[in-house]
Amino acid sequence: MSDIAAETLQPPYRNRGAAGDFLVRLFRGKPLGAAGAVVVLVFLVCGVFAEALAPYGFNAINPADRMQAPSAAHPLGTDNLGRDMLSRMLYGAQFSVIIGLSAAGLATVLSILIGVTTGYLGGRFDMLVQRMVDAWMTFPALVILIVVVSVVGPGVPQIIVVLALLYGIAGSRILRGNVVSIRENMYVHAAQSIGAGTQRILWRHILPNVMPAVIVLFTTRVGAVILAEASLSFLGLGVPPPAPTWGGLLSGSGRAYMHQGPWLALAPGLALTIVVFAINVFGDALRDLLDPRMRGSR
Amino acid sequence: MLCIRSVALALRATLLTSLVFGCGAAGAQSGKPQYGGTLEVGTVFVTLSALSWDPQDWNWKTNHDAGMFFEQLFAADLDKSVRKGGKYRFVWDAWLPSDAIRGELAERWEWKNPLTLVVTLRKGVMFPDKPGVMKSRELTAEDVVFSYERLDQSPKKIPTWFDHVAKVEARDRYTVLFTFKEYNAEWDYRFGWGFYSAIVPKEMAGVDAKNWRNAAGSGPFQLADFVQGNSQSYVKNPNYWDTEKIGATAYKIPFVDKLVYRIIKDEATQHTALRTGKLDILESIRWSAVDQLKRSAPQLKWSRWLTTTGQFLVMRTDRKPFDDVRVRRALNMAVDKQEIVKSYYGGNAELFSYPMRPDWPGYYEPLEKMPASVKELFVYNPEKAKKLLAEAGYPNGFSFKAQFTTASPDHADLVPLVAGYLEKVGVKMELQPMEYGAFLSAMTTRTHGPGYFMPRGHTNPTAGMRSFVTGQTWNPAIWSDPAYDRKMDEVYLTRDEGKRQKMLKEMVVEILDQAPYVWLPTPYVYTAWWPWVQNYDGELRAGSVRPGPIYARIWVDQEMKKKMGF
Amino acid sequence: MQAYIARRLLALVPTLFFASLIVFVSVRLIPGSVIDLMLSQNDIGTGNSRAAIEAALGLDRPVHEQYLRWAGAALQGDLGRSLWTSTPVTEQLAARLPVTLELGVLALAVGLIVALPIGVYSAIRQDTAGDYLARSFSILMLGIPSFWLGTLVMVFPSIWWGWSPEIDYVPLTRDPLKNLSQMILPAVILGTSLSAVTMRFTRTMMLEVLRQDYIRTAWAKGLGERLVVIRHALRNALIPVVTLIGLQAPILIGGAVIIEQIFVIPGMGLLLLEAVGQRDYPIITGVFLVVGLCVMLINLLVDLSYGMLDPKVRYR
């Protein structure tokens, strides 16, 4: 009975695009987003296949070759210890892929869980959880990071978990605000009045309407996490040397030798900016395409 | 952009040339000193704020920050500096050669008998007016006694520091009597010109001495403001007792009205501040940054000195595999130290300068004069290293955990470099990065190692050797040799410096041979200052990390500074 | 409404103390206690003065006793003293908080001035060249790490024109020109990176809102674009944006550490970083308390503003 009712009351989000159809719309309608998608693809390939693509190891120290400008043998030059920059950049991409996708993914799941449930259910549950979120968010991120980094030692898994927690809980507030607005909409009231269960409403009505915000959140988070690691490296809390994360390369040898060897800063700096740019632009395009209300508009 | 820059440079060059010809004097001394102005300094510890203003905290850095207003019995005789025709550059961390010590608060001192020292204080040294603390009055022997006893009774005191002292008493208003239980060669270092020798007024007992606002000392400057982690401002003490002879005239010092320590944590910002004249002196510049600064600020004056903090790979000798001297020697031979000097430091390093520095005359023996067994530790020989390892029972090498700190930019580069060399002989270093606080405390709680990259100060000849005495905090190699400890005790008891030097040289050879560390080269570091900073040539310390007397003698040529556009 | 505010304010107190308890305990768990650090300061030492120092600092008492003592004093406005320099924590906080607030307000202002107009423009001129340009610029700003931008801004003007921002901090009231010459560049950098996120969210939310029925009605009624956009659309789009501001506040208050480090600004971020490095427990707890209070107050304001902006939301 409720199925028929739910079917009749079509929420204005129903989306049926096929994959091919999607790609066409992407490349034709959103050229910038398409360019972003290509860059993201290249980034992912570099990250996943770093071992195969890199001509040298990322820690092949060779002091005799130090500080060489880009050349045929070393397309991106060498650093102050003679390590090949191209290889280090490729391995850096791997770190960014792993840390970025894992942390952002975890964070987004967390944000959805907390934000949607508290936003919809409201009442005492909302109050309690929001107070806990408040308490968590008053912890300066730095303290948490230093505690974790000191107790468990610096490393990739710790950073992923901590960044996921930090961004996840913080992001839940955005989603909650969104949900608070959505739940007051007509169709939600209608669904409630015909007796649709909470789970159903969350799954079929709330969640899909929050999706645009979620997608934007995820894409900005990937970029933000990669940048956060860069900032952590600057403060000495990032993935420790000799790991060649882009943030570590930029804040370490990039800054220290920016006059003698500008390529040491240009490579990671440009890579960071371009990849974050691409991720965000692609995410925007994705959101625009997936939201049927946007489909018709120009 | 380029146009403006070259025009500006040309203008400045012209002005400077006319200035030089106009004054007729070249070099550091350009005529009569001027009074007034502010001196902005990025010191050797430009990233570190004051950790304590109270000498009773027994903090090594207090001399650096409070040494501007708290004076000591002895200090460096800056007339013996190179720019005044002497032979010393005064860049040592905490050492003064015996012929370059002068009395600061002490006018003269003599040994009444081998265990009694009589120190006569200067007359007319005044403590300032400090509301809430004290009224201006003369410094007397009672203050010296009070300062000593206050240090002695502090809960933070280094336990054995004053063991050689039996009693300190005031014989009369200006005479202090030191009675020793036994002679200690470091007597003047331990309470004289060393880290823990500040003379404070008796009135400190009645106020909160930790509060920097209550600090009252007899020195050339007084503390005016303290913004933690940002700056420390000192103002001139108008009633300071000392004078500086320039030419034939004795001038009252200090010359400058205000002295500011800038605390700048970021290296690029430090260089920028120097380049734009916001810092008059920057005392510690990495060799790799010098070229760029010379190009963008060509009028800067420079001096180069061997850094007083070296980096070493410490091996815990109380555990396998480093309890075997062959393993330790093998690791030394496996590292290409010449290449580190040449390629990593670009030639700006000394291969051999620890535990004795080349600028400690009489104590230092160069590598060429060392026995063959020591020399071979500094020659790259991976085959011999592998042979020794096989002999010791590790034909296929081994792996060990090595800790370093993520807070040190040096470690970030040096550690993988050393790891690379060791891997070539089959020894794998498992790198364990640690946050600085955790890193240091691992050492104090003896939970560090087996490998540990330690920054170690080349403090002074005896303090450096003390690192290897059983039970010392800064003995991370856990080196324990009762014979060595006995020799060290004997060194303290030896009055004759020549004899001490000979004994120490023997101990140096012994410890180098035993190789508790992988001895690594020590880099050179640069100091730069603007030409308007006068009566100064890159001197750094006039006591243990204490630059106060040096800054008191600097005068700022404000006209030159204005003419140069700053 | 009043009851809601009162309840929230009351909830503030136990939350703060519960969280402060967690911080109090957890900083003491960081390996490397302050005693170890103090002992390592001394060049040599053979015996153990550990017990004496612990007693002098009051760290030999059991943790819960230390906390109760601290909490009792805190309620009277005494947050203890630095373990190293013995300066009262409240004094430190009073000196650093205005600096951070000034930087934060300036950065927020810059951020909003940049973000809101661009976000709105992008939304109403969706998919035009202007939209792409504006979005590209802001996303580009997102992708440049603040420490790198800060370094470039600090270093290159000094090489090209012999100019750099002021490094001597003076309060705004004492010498506004000198103060701003130090603060304006870091505020712009901080604000621009914040604005990127805000701009995109403004655009997204505006796009959502512009499709709504009531907007269509307004168009149909013949209302001018400006009226529709500002009075109807913007108000509703602002809800997540306001949330975003609330989210950015802790960053601005608690730790624009990198910017403070590069531009030599004596703010709360650096104070905290130094205190953690030195294990100065009273300062860490004190900073946290103040930051926490500020953040919670800001979040309360944010939540209340939902009611103002979105008439559908009512607080029970």
Side-chain angles (χ1 to χ4, degrees):
Chain A
M1 170 87 177
S2 45
D3 282 296
I4 304 169
E7 227 96 50
T8 333
L9 291 164
Q10 284 210 7
Y13 66 83
R14 197 64 58 90
N15 171 21
R16 294 262 184 265
D21 180 30
F22 171 80
L23 280 172
V24 166
R25 277 162 47 220
L26 176 67
F27 278 85
R28 213 177 280 164
K30 303 262 168 206
L32 194 60
V38 171
V39 172
V40 171
L41 198 62
V42 171
F43 166 62
L44 286 172
V45 165
C46 285
V48 171
F49 298 108
E51 279 94 352
L53 292 167
Y56 303 83
F58 71 81
N59 204 23
I61 296 180
N62 195 1
D65 282 341
R66 64 188 302 275
M67 297 301 288
Q68 288 184 355
S71 63
H74 298 280
L76 289 179
T78 61
D79 70 0
N80 59 313
L81 287 179
R83 294 177 287 203
D84 174 48
M85 276 306 279
L86 179 62
S87 311
R88 279 174 77 75
M89 287 294 296
L90 285 169
Y91 280 101
Q94 195 170 69
F95 274 103
S96 299
V97 167
I98 295 174
I99 297 178
L101 291 180
S102 326
L106 269 172
T108 309
V109 167
L110 201 58
S111 290
I112 294 176
L113 275 170
I114 299 178
V116 170
T117 48
T118 58
Y120 181 73
L121 294 173
R124 216 178 252 163
F125 174 67
D126 178 22
M127 249 229 159
L128 187 67
V129 173
Q130 281 313 303
R131 296 293 73 71
M132 295 210 289
V133 168
D134 276 351
W136 170 263
M137 279 174 51
T138 58
F139 282 84
L142 212 52
V143 178
I144 303 174
L145 285 163
I146 294 189
V147 170
V148 173
V149 166
S150 305
V151 173
V152 203
V156 173
Q158 299 91 312
I159 291 181
I160 292 178
V161 169
V162 176
L163 287 176
L165 276 173
L166 285 171
Y167 280 110
I169 296 183
S172 74
R173 296 211 106 213
I174 297 182
L175 290 183
R176 176 184 171 275
N178 218 354
V179 170
V180 163
S181 280
I182 292 176
R183 80 173 176 211
E184 305 302 331
N185 272 308
M186 263 307 131
Y187 53 84
V188 176
H189 285 164
Q192 285 169 331
S193 68
I194 61 165
T198 310
Q199 228 185 3
R200 187 186 194 75
I201 295 183
L202 282 176
W203 192 250
R204 294 196 105 197
H205 299 269
I206 306 286
L207 205 56
N209 280 293
V210 182
M211 264 313 156
V214 168
I215 291 178
V216 180
L217 203 68
F218 176 76
T219 53
T220 50
R221 285 297 170 260
V222 175
V225 164
I226 297 179
L227 288 173
E229 197 280 325
S231 300
L232 286 177
S233 296
F234 176 78
L235 294 172
L237 298 169
V239 184
T245 58
W246 288 349
L249 288 176
L250 185 60
S251 62
S253 52
R255 268 170 36 98
Y257 299 98
M258 68 177 143
H259 302 293
Q260 303 91 312
W263 59 89
L264 289 177
L266 273 170
L270 282 175
L272 267 172
T273 310
I274 292 175
V275 167
V276 171
F277 182 83
I279 292 174
N280 282 310
V281 160
F282 176 56
D284 274 358
L286 203 66
R287 200 226 74 226
D288 282 356
L289 291 173
L290 287 176
D291 185 350
R293 287 174 292 173
M294 305 293 178
R295 236 193 300 168
S297 67
R298 273 249 86 230
Chain B
M1 237 188 280
L2 217 56
C3 288
I4 302 175
R5 185 118 169 77
S6 3
V7 167
L9 271 178
L11 258 172
R12 287 179 191 167
T14 333
L15 284 169
L16 199 57
T17 328
S18 53
L19 197 70
V20 168
F21 283 132
C23 282
Q29 259 75 313
S30 60
K32 188 164 146 42
Q34 298 169 24
Y35 283 90
T38 306
L39 189 66
E40 306 250 354
V41 187
T43 73
V44 206
F45 305 116
V46 64
T47 57
L48 290 176
S49 199
L51 292 167
S52 164
W53 295 98
D54 184 3
Q56 205 186 33
D57 279 337
W58 282 77
N59 186 287
W60 66 272
K61 196 169 179 285
T62 312
N63 242 8
H64 184 75
D65 306 298
M68 238 69 63
F69 47 90
F70 287 142
E71 296 194 285
Q72 306 182 329
L73 289 176
F74 311 113
D77 185 0
L78 290 168
D79 285 337
K80 299 271 169 45
S81 64
V82 169
R83 69 178 163 84
K84 286 201 162 181
K87 47 184 176 142
Y88 299 121
R89 296 177 54 211
F90 294 103
V91 295
W92 314 287
D93 191 37
W95 184 64
L96 291 177
S98 41
D99 61 344
I101 302 180
R102 69 161 196 152
E104 187 167 58
L105 291 175
E107 195 172 53
R108 57 175 192 282
W109 61 99
E110 54 182 355
W111 292 89
K112 268 276 163 346
N113 60 58
L115 291 178
T116 314
L117 180 74
V118 177
V119 175
T120 313
L121 299 175
R122 273 181 213 282
K123 301 174 182 48
V125 176
M126 303 294 285
F127 283 113
D129 251 335
K130 197 85 185 189
V133 180
M134 64 188 296
K135 286 235 158 305
S136 178
R137 64 163 176 85
E138 197 183 19
L139 185 151
T140 67
E142 275 188 19
D143 295 305
V144 176
V145 175
F146 170 74
S147 303
Y148 171 80
E149 281 175 357
R150 192 161 179 272
L151 283 169
D152 197 31
Q153 288 152 12
S154 165
K156 292 189 179 163
K157 167 179 135 173
I158 295 174
T160 54
W161 199 251
F162 290 142
D163 276 359
H164 59 292
V165 180
K167 203 164 34 157
V168 178
E169 52 197 340
R171 204 165 67 177
D172 58 45
R173 194 173 161 81
Y174 301 109
T175 316
V176 184
L177 196 69
F178 288 88
T179 317
F180 294 105
K181 289 186 207 146
E182 57 187 11
Y183 180 77
N184 188 312
E186 288 187 338
W187 68 268
D188 53 347
Y189 166 63
R190 294 196 180 195
F191 190 71
W193 49 265
F195 289 99
Y196 317 108
S197 314
I199 306 300
V200 306
K202 300 195 294 258
E203 286 82 345
M204 283 277 243
V207 296
D208 177 14
K210 297 205 186 308
N211 186 348
W212 60 268
R213 291 189 177 84
N214 290 333
S218 55
F221 295 97
Q222 296 296 325
L223 187 59
D225 196 13
F226 172 51
V227 182
Q228 177 148 18
N230 187 265
S231 62
Q232 295 163 200
S233 309
Y234 305 86
V235 289
K236 163 176 169 163
N237 176 0
N239 298 319
Y240 186 55
W241 57 270
D242 205 358
T243 58
E244 166 78 345
K245 204 136 182 269
I246 298 184
T249 331
Y251 295 90
K252 265 188 74 85
I253 54 174
F255 293 107
V256 296
D257 286 336
K258 195 165 156 199
L259 168 70
V260 182
Y261 274 15
R262 291 268 164 226
I263 314 290
I264 305 175
K265 299 212 184 291
D266 190 72
E267 196 189 24
T269 311
Q270 291 161 18
H271 299 167
T272 302
L274 179 68
R275 201 182 283 125
T276 54
K278 295 195 165 60
L279 282 178
D280 298 308
I281 305 175
L282 185 57
E283 289 181 355
S284 177
I285 301 175
R286 240 174 351 122
W287 68 271
S288 51
V290 172
D291 276 338
Q292 215 294 320
L293 275 170
K294 280 192 175 162
R295 263 182 288 138
S296 53
Q299 313 95 315
L300 285 173
K301 301 171 106 176
W302 293 89
S303 93
R304 184 178 92 144
W305 47 285
L306 200 61
T307 189
T308 51
T309 309
Q311 303 282 352
F312 308 100
L313 173 56
V314 175
M315 298 173 275
R316 272 194 84 138
T317 57
D318 59 339
R319 309 211 171 135
K320 284 196 174 327
F322 295 126
D323 54 349
D324 190 332
V325 64
R326 288 170 296 192
V327 174
R328 301 196 299 266
R329 290 179 66 88
L331 259 56
N332 266 284
M333 293 181 217
V335 175
D336 191 348
K337 302 171 189 176
Q338 273 84 355
E339 189 174 51
I340 292 182
V341 171
K342 196 169 63 118
S343 304
Y344 181 69
Y345 288 119
N348 282 282
E350 253 337 289
L351 177 66
F352 176 66
S353 59
Y354 185 83
M356 293 299 174
R357 281 168 64 99
D359 57 358
W360 289 340
Y363 291 91
Y364 177 72
E365 202 71 64
L367 192 57
E368 303 85 65
K369 298 231 183 94
M370 285 285 165
S373 60
V374 170
K375 278 202 258 208
E376 75 168 350
L377 291 176
F378 292 87
V379 175
Y380 183 48
N381 197 341
E383 286 73 42
K384 177 126 194 230
K386 278 196 258 209
K387 196 159 95 29
L388 276 175
L389 285 173
E391 258 176 57
Y394 303 98
N396 299 317
F398 58 92
S399 75
F400 70 98
K401 214 165 33 157
Q403 294 164 332
F404 66 97
T405 174
T406 49
S408 165
D410 264 335
H411 284 194
D413 287 338
L414 198 57
V415 170
L417 186 59
V418 172
Y421 287 126
L422 292 183
E423 196 157 337
K424 295 204 181 110
V425 297
V427 176
K428 191 159 178 336
M429 254 176 37
E430 288 159 31
L431 298 179
Q432 191 190 7
M434 299 179 86
E435 182 258 342
Y436 189 60
F439 176 77
L440 269 188
S441 83
M443 181 185 69
T444 31
T445 53
R446 295 299 191 241
T447 53
H448 64 284
Y452 188 80
F453 274 88
M454 177 181 73
R456 184 70 184 113
H458 300 199
T459 324
N460 65 45
T462 42
M465 297 305 281
R466 200 175 13 247
S467 278
F468 304 105
V469 169
T470 310
Q472 292 296 310
T473 312
W474 282 85
N475 179 0
I478 321 282
W479 185 252
S480 182
D481 178 1
Y484 184 93
D485 296 347
R486 275 195 303 274
K487 285 194 199 144
M488 199 69 213
D489 286 336
E490 248 195 79
V491 167
Y492 293 141
L493 292 170
T494 310
R495 239 174 246 269
D496 178 50
E497 189 173 16
K499 264 184 81 192
R500 279 205 307 270
Q501 288 172 344
K502 189 158 160 301
M503 293 168 74
L504 284 169
K505 279 185 190 165
E506 283 167 14
M507 291 166 73
V508 167
V509 172
E510 181 191 316
I511 205 71
L512 282 170
D513 253 339
Q514 289 293 317
Y517 301 170
V518 174
W519 312 109
L520 293 172
T522 307
Y524 280 101
V525 148
Y526 288 78
T527 300
W529 63 97
W530 287 96
W532 58 74
V533 177
Q534 303 284 1
N535 205 26
Y536 172 77
D537 198 28
E539 294 90 19
L540 295 173
R541 294 126 175 157
S544 298
V545 298
R546 184 168 170 250
I550 297 172
Y551 299 145
R553 283 159 173 76
I554 291 179
W555 61 274
V556 173
D557 191 338
Q558 299 171 78
E559 285 148 22
M560 185 200 283
K561 184 170 177 179
K562 237 179 278 185
K563 285 214 183 93
M564 286 178 71
F566 288 94
Chain C
M1 182 60 111
Q2 254 86 321
Y4 180 76
I5 297 180
R7 251 184 299 143
R8 284 291 296 271
L9 283 174
L10 258 146
L12 216 83
V13 175
T15 319
L16 266 180
F17 270 98
F18 175 65
S20 75
L21 179 63
I22 296 188
V23 169
F24 196 88
V25 170
S26 49
V27 290
R28 281 159 175 74
L29 289 176
I30 305 178
S33 77
V34 67
I35 310 286
D36 290 329
L37 284 186
M38 286 183 174
L39 284 177
S40 73
Q41 295 287 314
N42 290 330
D43 197 39
I44 65 164
T46 37
N48 229 335
S49 11
R50 180 179 287 266
I53 303 180
E54 268 183 349
L57 292 175
L59 292 173
D60 52 340
R61 324 257 83 226
V63 180
H64 61 264
E65 196 184 307
Q66 288 182 45
Y67 178 74
L68 288 169
R69 196 176 289 180
W70 174 85
L75 283 171
Q76 293 167 30
D78 172 18
L79 290 172
R81 290 164 166 267
S82 157
L83 294 176
W84 290 87
T85 59
S86 232
T87 19
V89 176
T90 36
E91 191 184 298
Q92 294 260 41
L93 293 175
R96 311 290 270 233
L97 192 59
V99 183
T100 295
L101 283 177
E102 185 194 338
L103 187 62
V105 168
L106 281 174
L108 205 59
V110 168
L112 288 175
I113 291 172
V114 170
L116 287 180
I118 295 184
V120 170
Y121 176 79
S122 269
I124 56 184
R125 301 273 175 269
Q126 190 193 13
D127 286 343
T128 58
D131 175 23
Y132 279 120
L133 215 64
R135 264 194 293 148
S136 305
F137 169 75
S138 81
I139 299 174
L140 206 69
M141 289 283 97
L142 246 184
I144 304 180
S146 58
F147 69 82
W148 183 236
L149 204 55
T151 305
L152 293 176
V153 160
M154 175 59 80
V155 172
F156 284 96
S158 76
I159 297 180
W160 296 331
W161 309 307
W163 178 86
S164 74
E166 192 57 59
I167 56 172
D168 182 24
Y169 174 76
V170 291
L172 188 63
T173 43
R174 197 154 16 119
D175 188 348
L177 227 62
K178 192 169 180 205
N179 173 286
L180 284 175
S181 98
Q182 184 181 22
M183 299 290 239
I184 203 67
L185 272 177
V188 167
I189 293 175
L190 213 52
T192 321
S193 61
L194 292 175
S195 80
V197 184
T198 312
M199 185 244 92
R200 299 182 67 232
F201 256 86
T202 308
R203 177 182 178 278
T204 307
M205 291 307 132
M206 277 295 285
L207 285 173
E208 296 283 323
V209 161
L210 285 171
R211 314 296 157 207
Q212 300 290 328
D213 286 344
Y214 58 87
I215 299 294
R216 212 174 291 166
T217 314
W219 289 129
K221 282 206 294 185
L223 288 177
E225 184 175 38
R226 188 174 290 180
L227 206 62
V228 177
V229 167
I230 294 179
R231 179 160 328 157
H232 295 271
L234 196 55
R235 244 177 131 207
N236 291 290
L238 277 182
I239 293 165
V241 176
V242 168
T243 314
L244 206 62
I245 296 176
L247 277 177
Q248 292 167 348
I251 302 172
L252 295 174
I253 295 177
V257 186
I258 293 176
I259 294 293
E260 287 178 20
Q261 188 159 318
I262 296 180
F263 290 92
V264 199
I265 296 174
M268 301 278 273
L270 269 188
L271 181 66
L272 186 63
L273 187 62
E274 259 205 33
V276 174
Q278 290 176 358
R279 312 289 194 268
D280 206 336
Y281 308 133
I283 295 191
I284 301 173
T285 332
V287 169
F288 159 77
L289 206 66
V290 168
V291 170
L293 193 63
C294 290
V295 169
M296 287 185 188
L297 285 173
I298 292 179
N299 279 324
L300 178 59
L301 286 170
V302 165
D303 278 352
L304 288 175
S305 72
Y306 287 158
M308 277 198 305
L309 291 171
D310 188 348
K312 292 187 302 220
V313 175
R314 281 284 167 267
Y315 285 103
R316 309 161 218 116

